[in-house]
Amino acid sequence: MTAFDAAIDAVFADRNQAVDCTYTPVGGSALAGVRLILRDWDATGEAAGMTVRQSGRRGEVRRSEVATAAKGDAIATDDASYSVQSVRLDSAGVWQLGLRTS
């Protein structure tokens, strides 16, 4: 394990950064105890002379805990349930998930 891997693991282990969730792949069995980092995002732009604002929620899970992520997968925390809308694996081995509240 590299120092970079250890730093990522430390962030996911931090109770102030990540929460436990149940990750359920489409057509698969639920994976309990997966660590999830939730982030909110906002974007502002202009279209046809009007200001347009978008917001959303993004989640991050480690590939070491979720081998394959796909659109339609489900995530449940103690507070909310989400449906995965988009998926991207970053260079650190962390799935970047676009989420929608279920």
Side-chain angles (χ1 to χ4, degrees), residues 26-80:
V26 172
S29 299
L31 304 169
V34 172
R35 298 294 288 170
L36 170 71
I37 296 175
L38 288 169
R39 301 183 191 279
D40 293 319
W41 60 268
D42 292 314
T44 305
E46 257 193 56
M50 297 185 311
T51 300
V52 178
R53 184 174 181 198
Q54 291 181 308
S55 62
R57 189 146 246 212
R58 187 178 76 215
E60 299 175 1
V61 294
R62 290 175 289 185
R63 185 166 144 189
S64 61
E65 293 184 290
V66 177
T68 305
K71 184 177 179 178
D73 290 354
I75 297 174
T77 67
D78 287 342
D79 300 325

